[in-house]
Amino acid sequence: MPDEWQRPGPTPRQRRIDLWIALGVTAGAVLNVAMARSAGMFIWHFQPGAPEHYAWAVAISVPLVWRRAHPTAVFIVVSLLFLAGQIRGAQETQFAGGVLFASMYALGAWGRDRQVARWTRIIVITGMLGWVLVSWLLSLDMLDRVTDGRGPFTPTFATLVNLLLVNVGIFAGAYLAGEGTWLAARRQHQLEEQAEQLRTAQEKAEERAVLGERVRIARELHDVVAHHVSVMGIQASAARKALDKDAGKTRAALTAVEESARTAVAELRRMLGALRAGDTAPEETPFTAAGLDRVEELLVRVREAGLTAELTTYGEPVPLPDSVTQAAYRIVQEALTNVLKHAHASTVDVRIRYLSRELEVDVADDGRGSAVPATGGMGLIGMRERVAVHDGSIEAGPRADGGYRVRVRLPLELPSIPAQRSAEPAAHA
């Protein structure tokens, strides 16, 4: 399967580097031609003129300017010029071999289409090795006339093996080096992509955390404000009705309204303080201040609203995690708020059971209506969310003998509590 990733083209800085490299190689090749001609190093059966030598040296070196921008075209041009130089006898061997190596490497390292890059190099390498065999066959007559050889092999065999080993080594080195560079660039690209994905995932996680915190704060605000405002509304109604009949009841109801208002404001301030204390650990924030030990305070307000409220604890109370005791408290608070607002009840019974592996909270009333608003609302949703966080269960619905019940069970990682003790009330209110 072809690799879909394409290496980006060279940067402006890399293009400038290629320009200076090409100019340096061209100057070196021209100088080397001059040195070779002066030393009589061209050994072909005929000698091209000096202009052809110099033109060929320039022509094969200049394409290096575009070796990274257009690697396929540069490699093909350089290969054809290299082969033409061999055929014409204008070969400048030292720099020309380096240019061929560099262009093959560049195609492997920068080729956009990997199939084209691979097959272009394979075809050229095959052609070059074929030319080596052809040149060796053409030189057999000359090799047969060699009489001063001193090695263990014949001159014909030694020449062929030497040509093959040198060329195969050069071509293999250029091919593998280019592939290695391209693979390294792809790995770097993958690492950068993974880093970007991690950054994106982290940002999304932070956004989800912020959203979750907003939902949690909204739930806390709903629980606190709804409960106290409900109590205040009932007490204000009682004060209105008793205003002209019983000054004492009116005074007590207004006092309860005042206390509920102060309590609500105090809790709101604690929550806002928690929001300002960004470095405070979650377990140290004021959100954890409310627990099962404060359920009696909720019932006091319910009684002040005119309802009969009872609290019964079953089993032996044990230390609870802050999150569990807070969740249980808020569930009781929301259930009582719903009773005050929607149930038209006269009594409410709160039962807390410490079972062997669970904490059970049961809030039941004798109301004539539903303990949840007919149009829905956030109360029951908030309770379900709290229960889901702790992998617990919740039952909410009308009772068979009238009224409404909310029963919640929260799992506990605690030592087993004797079953016989969980069936007897531990405390009454």
Side-chain angles (χ1 to χ4, degrees):
M1 178 179 178
D3 199 300
E4 296 180 357
W5 179 71
Q6 290 186 348
R7 185 175 183 181
T11 63
R13 179 176 179 274
Q14 290 172 327
R15 291 175 182 269
R16 290 193 296 271
I17 292 174
D18 289 345
L19 172 62
W20 287 110
I21 289 176
L23 292 176
V25 171
T26 301
V30 170
L31 179 60
N32 197 43
V33 167
M35 296 296 184
R37 287 182 62 82
S38 300
M41 295 175 60
F42 290 102
I43 58 174
W44 306 97
H45 59 279
F46 66 93
Q47 281 284 347
E52 185 176 345
H53 278 297
Y54 290 116
W56 183 87
V58 171
I60 199 171
S61 302
V62 167
L64 290 178
V65 175
W66 302 280
R67 67 186 180 92
R68 283 190 275 206
H70 305 284
T72 303
V74 168
F75 180 56
I76 292 174
V77 169
V78 168
S79 300
L80 293 175
L81 288 172
F82 188 91
L83 188 59
Q86 292 239 333
I87 295 173
R88 286 288 299 165
Q91 181 78 47
E92 183 284 316
T93 56
Q94 286 83 3
F95 281 85
V99 170
L100 181 64
F101 182 98
S103 63
M104 182 180 294
Y105 164 82
L107 178 56
W110 292 86
R112 310 293 186 270
D113 190 321
R114 300 312 297 171
Q115 292 293 331
V116 172
R118 182 176 299 109
W119 284 106
T120 300
R121 286 175 293 167
I122 290 175
I123 292 172
V124 171
I125 290 172
T126 303
M128 289 291 181
L129 292 178
W131 169 249
V132 168
L133 292 175
V134 171
S135 62
W136 175 76
L137 292 174
L138 293 176
S139 62
L140 285 179
D141 292 341
M142 183 179 64
L143 293 173
D144 290 339
R145 292 194 294 270
V146 175
T147 58
D148 55 351
R150 295 293 183 269
F153 306 107
T154 63
T156 302
F157 178 79
T159 303
L160 176 61
V161 172
N162 181 67
L163 287 173
L164 289 176
L165 288 177
V166 170
N167 283 277
V168 168
I170 291 175
F171 293 141
Y175 188 98
L176 295 176
E179 286 292 310
T181 300
W182 184 86
L183 290 173
R186 186 178 65 173
R187 283 194 294 269
Q188 181 63 28
H189 169 76
Q190 292 172 339
L191 290 175
E192 292 174 356
E193 273 195 338
Q194 291 172 359
E196 182 62 28
Q197 291 172 356
L198 288 175
R199 283 192 293 269
T200 302
Q202 183 177 4
E203 291 175 358
K204 291 182 178 179
E206 291 174 355
E207 291 176 359
R208 287 194 296 269
V210 171
L211 179 60
E213 185 65 13
R214 289 176 179 173
V215 172
R216 187 171 75 94
I217 293 171
R219 189 167 56 221
E220 297 291 335
L221 290 174
H222 172 272
D223 292 345
V224 172
V225 174
H227 177 76
H228 291 291
V229 170
S230 297
V231 173
M232 291 165 60
I234 293 175
Q235 294 290 353
S237 176
R240 178 178 57 79
K241 294 176 181 179
L243 183 62
D244 298 327
K245 301 177 181 179
D246 191 332
K249 288 184 178 180
T250 301
R251 187 179 297 106
L254 292 176
T255 300
V257 171
E258 180 183 3
E259 291 177 353
S260 294
R262 287 178 177 174
T263 303
V265 171
E267 293 209 29
L268 287 175
R269 285 177 176 172
R270 282 198 296 270
M271 291 181 185
L272 293 176
L275 294 178
R276 295 190 186 100
D279 296 333
T280 305
E283 62 271 12
E284 300 173 353
T285 65
F287 291 124
T288 61
L292 287 179
D293 57 330
R294 292 181 55 187
V295 169
E296 180 60 36
E297 299 176 15
L298 300 176
L299 295 182
V300 169
R301 299 190 184 97
V302 172
R303 296 186 188 107
E304 291 174 351
L307 279 71
T308 301
E310 294 184 0
L311 170 63
T312 308
T313 301
Y314 295 86
E316 181 180 356
V318 295
L320 299 174
D322 289 342
S323 61
V324 174
T325 187
Q326 179 188 1
Y329 172 85
R330 293 303 183 192
I331 289 170
V332 173
Q333 184 183 50
E334 181 57 38
L336 293 176
T337 300
N338 289 339
V339 170
L340 291 173
K341 292 171 64 176
H342 309 292
H344 309 293
S346 59
T347 63
V348 60
D349 184 17
V350 179
R351 301 182 182 187
I352 299 174
R353 296 183 178 89
Y354 291 87
L355 305 177
S356 60
R357 291 292 178 182
E358 291 178 319
L359 173 69
E360 183 180 276
V361 175
D362 190 331
V363 181
D365 65 77
D366 63 348
R368 297 184 304 275
S370 172
V372 293
T375 57
M378 291 298 296
L380 187 56
I381 295 176
M383 284 190 279
R384 293 189 187 280
E385 289 179 353
R386 294 182 192 279
V387 171
V389 167
H390 294 86
D391 294 327
S393 61
I394 180 172
E395 301 173 17
R399 301 166 60 190
D401 54 350
Y404 198 88
R405 163 172 283 157
V406 174
R407 178 183 293 166
V408 168
R409 288 192 174 189
L410 302 176
L412 297 178
E413 294 294 333
L414 299 172
S416 297
I417 300 174
Q420 65 273 17
R421 303 186 64 179
S422 66
E424 300 178 358
H428 296 275

